[in-house]
Amino acid sequence: TVLGITTDGCRIKQDVVVTVEGGPSSLIVEANRDVVCLGEPVVIKAGGAAGYTWTPSIGLNRTDGAEVIAEPEFTTTYTVRGLTENGCAVERDIEILVDEGPSLEILADQDSVCPGAEVRLSAYGATRFEWLGDESLLDPVGSVVYARPSKSSIYQVVGSSGLGCTDTASIFIGT
């Protein structure tokens, strides 16, 4: 009910219906995963509104639409703004964590050995290590392994971070 006074001093009482249009309260935002390795894309989808805008634009393939592909270079919080057909809006955030992954380094106690002699191989820069090589590699798991090459060989290690991102490094041991 609205009460008013006219210019000539009369009181007027009027019932008024006010419709308050809310934003898209059911706006949802989700990603196919919330942790990615550096350089990997992630699909982010929104629903529950008539139109969408995304910020920041860094790492996004587009800034409008219900679905975007993000390839962030660092952990980023994306905001989607959902709009109803009459222009009301609501925002939701989603954080995409970026694991930069390991940066491997391999060292050997010798660059060259006599055929069948033992060489110690050490890897650094990851939380888990798996070695690849020929049958001269004695145990393929761990940051420190031993090999007894009968011929010149290349040994490769795959290191992974706690979140599963990987890096690969290799070393040549001559005989």
Side-chain angles (χ1 to χ4, degrees):
T1 302
V2 176
L3 296 173
I5 300 176
T6 64
T7 55
D8 54 355
C10 295
R11 291 180 176 207
I12 299 174
K13 179 179 173 184
Q14 178 90 31
D15 287 332
V16 178
V17 175
V18 177
T19 303
V20 177
E21 188 68 42
S25 60
S26 63
L27 179 65
I28 58 166
V29 60
E30 60 188 13
N32 62 335
R33 55 195 170 166
D34 56 2
V35 178
V36 295
C37 298
L38 182 63
E40 290 182 343
V42 58
V43 176
I44 309 173
K45 295 180 182 181
Y52 308 90
T53 55
W54 299 83
T55 56
S57 61
I58 282 183
L60 293 179
N61 68 325
R62 59 189 290 174
T63 58
D64 63 344
E67 181 177 305
V68 296
I69 298 173
E71 198 171 320
E73 294 182 13
F74 46 84
T75 296
T76 303
T77 299
Y78 291 103
T79 300
V80 61
R81 181 179 173 96
L83 301 172
T84 63
E85 290 179 7
N86 61 0
C88 294
V90 70
E91 294 181 348
R92 297 281 188 266
D93 293 336
I94 188 166
E95 182 179 53
I96 304 299
L97 298 170
V98 177
D99 180 357
E100 294 182 14
S103 179
L104 290 180
E105 181 180 350
I106 300 178
L107 299 174
D109 63 350
Q110 304 172 68
D111 294 339
S112 182
V113 295
C114 293
E118 191 170 89
V119 62
R120 176 184 166 151
L121 306 171
S122 303
Y124 304 94
T127 56
R128 184 170 175 222
F129 304 89
E130 183 176 345
W131 293 81
L132 307 169
D134 60 22
E135 66 281 348
S136 67
L137 190 59
L138 302 178
D139 183 5
V141 179
S143 61
V144 177
V145 297
Y146 295 88
R148 289 193 182 115
S150 59
K151 60 182 176 40
S152 295
S153 300
I154 296 175
Y155 298 96
Q156 188 175 48
V157 64
V158 178
S160 60
S161 66
L163 298 174
C165 299
T166 62
D167 187 25
T168 303
S170 59
I171 191 167
F172 174 82
I173 302 297
T175 56

